[in-house]
Amino acid sequence: MHPYKLNMLAIYKYITLLFTIIVFSADFTFGQKNDTIYNHKFITIESGLLIDSYNSMGPRLKFEFQQQLKKRFMYGIAFDSKWHVGHAATDQSVDLPVNSNSLTGTVSWCLNPNSKIFRWNIGAGLGGIHLFWNDVNRWGLLANINASMDIRLSDKVYLFTVPIIFIPVSEFNLTTINEDPSKGYYSFSFFPFGIKIQL
């Protein structure tokens, strides 16, 4: 086996473990009131790698605008773009040089809003995606789930990273696009990092 070969089953297990830990960590969130209305706005600039089910790997650039409605609840809109630079050594059989652009509406929930050092967030998004490789274009619907941790750097600046360092995946995307009837398109972030700024 190639030393860099990624086992997709192992990745699914890591993602499942990540969300299990986050869900069990949420038990301390229900003792706090969350009916206060807020008007905070944030811009998140995120990068890292995106690896997909067609073995395409490349850097991504994601911009997200968020509006805080309540202490724990935020909604926003995100634009994500990925450029193909090479093929990952995964266990998938289809190799395509996929580039992508997506636009999604997002919602997120903060697990520990009273923390002054870091905050854990879980969320989901729904929108559209455009894939293109060579002379082929595909359009479809996109759904994603995500988890992240914001580390406070100053009063209005946070470092965006993964919630658990030994699981370097923060987002999983699934689309309605198929290259063939048996092959759907999905992708996941790898070693994401970025900056979150309160406006």
Side-chain angles (χ1 to χ4, degrees), residues 78-118:
F79 175 77
D80 195 351
S81 187
K82 172 248 178 183
W83 301 272
H84 171 81
V85 296
H87 291 291
T90 70
D91 57 0
Q92 304 302 306
S93 59
V94 179
D95 288 328
L96 293 174
V98 179
N99 298 283
S100 67
N101 291 305
S102 65
L103 186 66
T104 54
T106 63
V107 293
S108 61
W109 182 263
C110 183
L111 296 179
N112 56 335
N114 291 330
S115 174
K116 295 182 179 180
I117 301 174
F118 69 91

Side-chain angles (χ1 to χ4, degrees), residues 42-49 60-64 66 121 147-154 156-163 165 170-171 189-198:
F42 298 87
I43 288 286
T44 301
I45 304 171
E46 179 188 343
S47 189
L49 290 176
R60 69 189 301 216
L61 185 60
K62 181 177 180 179
F63 295 94
E64 183 170 8
Q66 293 180 323
N121 303 287
S148 65
M149 180 171 66
D150 300 333
I151 303 173
R152 183 185 293 272
L153 300 179
S154 69
K156 293 189 175 184
V157 179
Y158 299 83
L159 174 67
F160 171 94
T161 185
V162 290
I165 301 303
S170 69
E171 184 175 316
S189 64
F190 198 64
F191 285 114
F193 62 92
I195 293 291
K196 186 172 183 177
I197 303 170
Q198 182 176 336

